Amino acid sequence: HMLAIAVKPPNIIKWIRDATTTKGIELVELDITSKSKLAGKSVQHADKIFGSKANIIGIKLENSFEEIPEDNRIIKAGNKLVLVKRTK
């Protein structure tokens, strides 16, 4: 029970916010529409487009969340990409 209390999502979210706001990076959600340049592309292709400016760390699907998606995962309209974006 104590372990469950220690790893509750609000603690993780607070840690991520604290860690990213002082390091020149931020978490961003990117909505993928049917007109998006990333729709139909693989995560690997999207990473090449972003270069060193951002990294995909997750994909929000309609009813789930995929952490650290595989390179061959195809990005679809309706997905939301969770990115770590460099601000500096």
Side-chain angles (χ1 to χ4, degrees), residues 10-82:
N11 293 335
I12 294 168
I13 291 168
K14 182 182 182 318
W15 179 85
I16 290 172
R17 285 187 183 148
D18 290 346
T20 59
T21 54
T22 59
K23 306 281 188 211
I25 56 176
E26 64 182 343
L27 290 177
V28 177
E29 278 189 6
L30 179 63
D31 290 323
I32 303 300
T33 66
S34 59
K35 295 182 181 185
S36 171
K37 292 180 184 181
L38 300 177
K41 304 288 191 260
S42 69
V43 167
Q44 182 177 27
H45 186 91
D47 277 337
K48 286 180 183 177
I49 291 171
F50 292 135
S52 63
K53 295 177 184 174
N55 294 97
I56 300 169
I57 60 167
I59 299 178
K60 281 187 172 181
L61 308 169
E62 189 173 316
N63 295 316
S64 63
F65 181 76
E66 185 177 333
E67 299 171 345
I68 316 296
E70 296 289 330
D71 284 345
N72 62 353
R73 170 78 159 78
I74 301 299
I75 300 166
K76 299 177 183 175
N79 292 164
K80 287 186 181 188
L81 301 183
V82 179

